[in-house]
Amino acid sequence: MNPDIQAYHEALTTDNKTICDLLFQTITKELPDADNKVWHKHPVWFLDGNPIVGYHKLKDSVRLMFWSGQTFEEPNLKPDESFKAATARYTSIDQIDTADLNRWLEKSKTIQWDYKNMVKRKGELIRLI
């Protein structure tokens, strides 16, 4: 585990750490070619420098975010205010449907918007794949 992500996990409460540990293990297994690091204060995975998925401890839950998730057309992912992003929130490890999570991660490999170059394009997002 990346030392910064490990430090992030160690600072969590037991319940939240359990959720984040499962998310970390599943994401890392399903996206073996992705780089991961703490980015904007939370763990994020990147494919070719493009942010794909991350999670963050909020006040009342752990938020799992897919940067291109609105395009996945998945009912259990809720649109986020950030461009094409969609999220799921968890307060208990029992709420994580691993079949959903694995399907979303599979879609994250093939459905991507180009966040990496958005600044160069002055805020314009284009679909990569």
Side-chain angles (χ1 to χ4, degrees), residues 80-92:
D80 190 77
E81 296 176 10
S82 305
F83 301 97
K84 302 291 183 184
T87 66
R89 294 179 186 230
Y90 306 108
T91 57
S92 164

Side-chain angles (χ1 to χ4, degrees), residues 8 12 20 23 39-43 54-59 61-65:
Y8 180 91
L12 298 168
C20 290
L23 293 174
W39 188 54
H40 297 284
K41 299 184 181 181
H42 62 277
Y55 50 84
H56 184 69
K57 169 60 182 112
L58 300 174
K59 185 176 182 180
S61 61
V62 173
R63 177 182 66 176
L64 173 68
M65 184 169 107

Side-chain angles (χ1 to χ4, degrees), residues 6-128:
Q6 185 171 356
Y8 180 91
H9 281 223
E10 288 173 1
L12 298 168
T13 64
T14 301
D15 289 342
N16 291 325
K17 184 179 183 309
T18 303
I19 293 168
C20 290
D21 285 347
L22 177 60
L23 293 174
F24 177 87
Q25 291 165 5
T26 307
I27 294 167
T28 301
K29 179 183 174 199
E30 295 301 318
L31 299 176
D33 297 328
D35 297 318
N36 60 65
K37 63 182 177 181
V38 171
W39 188 54
H40 297 284
K41 299 184 181 181
H42 62 277
V44 176
W45 280 253
F46 299 81
L47 290 173
D48 297 322
N50 199 39
I52 302 300
V53 62
Y55 50 84
H56 184 69
K57 169 60 182 112
L58 300 174
K59 185 176 182 180
D60 63 343
S61 61
V62 173
R63 177 182 66 176
L64 173 68
M65 184 169 107
F66 288 91
W67 267 255
S68 300
Q70 287 184 30
T71 317
F72 296 178
E73 298 181 358
E74 289 281 343
N76 291 332
L77 283 176
K78 305 304 177 203
D80 190 77
E81 296 176 10
S82 305
F83 301 97
K84 302 291 183 184
T87 66
R89 294 179 186 230
Y90 306 108
T91 57
S92 164
I93 194 167
D94 299 335
Q95 296 171 334
I96 300 173
D97 182 326
T98 54
D100 281 351
L101 180 55
N102 288 329
R103 188 175 58 257
W104 301 339
L105 289 165
E106 197 59 37
K107 287 184 176 187
S108 75
K109 297 176 200 175
T110 59
I111 300 171
Q112 293 179 33
W113 290 82
D114 189 8
Y115 283 92
K116 177 175 77 173
N117 296 304
M118 191 171 72
V119 172
K120 290 181 196 175
R121 291 194 184 92
K122 298 181 177 153
E124 179 187 359
L125 263 181
I126 62 167
R127 181 139 179 202
L128 291 174

